[in-house]
């Protein structure tokens, strides 16, 4: 019985010492350790006129047999690809090649249709002339243009910086309204966005197929959490 009483006394003493030696506020459950925060979302927008265009040009051919349709299509498409390259087209790439059965108005098989489409990049000012050159070489299908900026990554970084500034301004307003001041950033999360087309203003050369573009808005947004002091 004496041994049991002695062991119990040791355990009680150890527990008491543990409570005395633990620093106040060190535990996560201590309310004093909690920090007030404010979370906001900031948005930044940069506007710029596209300077690059991507067009798609292709050839569709019909023939009584599949082999004849594909052969004629290949010969015609070689000329289109050569014209794209010779007239300022960059990164010329085949997009689709297809071969299918053709049908007449009564739904009866009527030979075969072969199609080949290639894309090429060029400047905005050169897009109209490139389309004309592809058509002159035999293209009978044209798609696009898809417009973009050559410095899209830099524009996005600028928009991202503006988004962070916007978030800080919003957080400062909320903190002031609550009678507090902003502390350091505790968390920041990025969410991206693609360029958004705007009103058309820029025009292409007048002696070729007109290709116009207005400014594009590159938008970025961030969610930021600040400490409140």
């Amino acid at each position: 019985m004496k041994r049991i009483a002695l062991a119990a006394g040791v355990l009680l003493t150890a527990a008491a010492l543990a409570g005395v030696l633990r620093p106040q506020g060190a535990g996560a459950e201590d309310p004093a350790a909690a920090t007030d925060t404010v979370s906001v979302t900031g948005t930044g927008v940069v506007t710029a006129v596209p300077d690059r265009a991507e067009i798609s040009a292709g050839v569709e051919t019909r023939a009584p047999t599949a082999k004849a349709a594909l052969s004629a299509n290949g010969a015609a498409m070689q000329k289109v690809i050569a014209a794209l390259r010779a007239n300022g087209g960059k990164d010329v790439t085949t997009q689709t090649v297809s071969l299918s059965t053709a049908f007449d108005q009564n739904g009866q098989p009527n030979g075969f249709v072969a199609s080949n489409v290639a894309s090429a990049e060029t400047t905005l000012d050169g897009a109209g002339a490139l389309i004309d050159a592809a058509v002159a070489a035999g293209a009978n299908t044209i798609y696009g243009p898809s417009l973009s900026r050559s410095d899209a990554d830099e524009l996005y970084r600028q928009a991202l910086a503006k988004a962070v500034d916007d978030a800080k301004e919003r957080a400062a307003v909320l903190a002031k309204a609550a009678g507090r001041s902003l502390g350091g950033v505790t968390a920041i999360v990025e969410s991206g966005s693609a360029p958004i087309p705007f009103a058309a203003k820029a025009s292409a050369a007048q002696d070729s197929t007109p290709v116009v573009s207005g400014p594009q808005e590159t938008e970025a947004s961030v969610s930021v959490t600040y400490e409140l002091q």
Side-chain angles (χ1 to χ4, degrees), residues 173-188:
V173 171
L174 293 174
K176 183 178 180 180
R180 307 286 289 274
S181 60
L182 286 184
V185 175
T186 63
I188 184 167

Side-chain angles (χ1 to χ4, degrees), residues 17-35:
L17 288 174
V20 171
L21 296 177
R22 185 176 63 183
Q24 292 295 323
E29 65 279 358
D30 188 348
T35 302

Side-chain angles (χ1 to χ4, degrees), residues 95-116:
Q95 289 187 316
T96 61
V97 177
S98 66
L99 178 67
S100 59
T101 303
F103 296 90
D104 60 22
Q105 296 181 348
N106 297 320
Q108 298 299 314
N110 185 24
F112 293 85
V113 179
S115 177
N116 190 322

Side-chain angles (χ1 to χ4, degrees), residues 38-221:
V38 58
S39 297
V40 295
T41 298
T43 302
V45 177
V46 175
T47 302
V49 176
D51 61 358
R52 185 171 59 185
E54 178 181 307
I55 70 164
S56 297
V59 176
E60 182 177 286
T61 55
R62 293 172 177 265
T65 66
K67 181 178 180 179
L70 200 59
S71 178
N73 184 270
M77 195 61 194
Q78 289 287 356
K79 296 178 181 179
V80 173
I81 291 174
L84 292 174
R85 290 172 172 164
N87 289 271
K90 305 296 183 182
D91 298 329
V92 179
T93 304
T94 297
Q95 289 187 316
T96 61
V97 177
S98 66
L99 178 67
S100 59
T101 303
F103 296 90
D104 60 22
Q105 296 181 348
N106 297 320
Q108 298 299 314
N110 185 24
F112 293 85
V113 179
S115 177
N116 190 322
V117 179
S119 65
E121 290 187 357
T122 185
T123 63
L124 176 64
D125 292 338
L130 190 60
I131 291 173
D132 292 344
V135 173
N140 53 21
T141 58
I142 298 290
Y143 305 98
S146 175
L147 306 180
S148 62
R149 286 282 302 194
S150 55
D151 58 348
D153 289 342
E154 175 59 27
L155 292 176
Y156 178 71
R157 293 188 184 95
Q158 294 177 18
L160 199 58
K162 288 188 174 184
V164 174
D165 291 341
D166 182 52
K168 186 173 183 179
E169 292 176 1
R170 291 172 183 267
V173 171
L174 293 174
K176 183 178 180 180
R180 307 286 289 274
S181 60
L182 286 184
V185 175
T186 63
I188 184 167
V189 179
E190 171 194 1
S191 56
S193 177
I196 304 171
F198 205 61
K201 291 184 180 179
S203 60
Q206 295 182 357
D207 58 349
S208 62
T209 298
V211 175
V212 299
S213 174
Q216 284 184 338
E217 292 183 346
T218 299
E219 181 178 304
S221 61

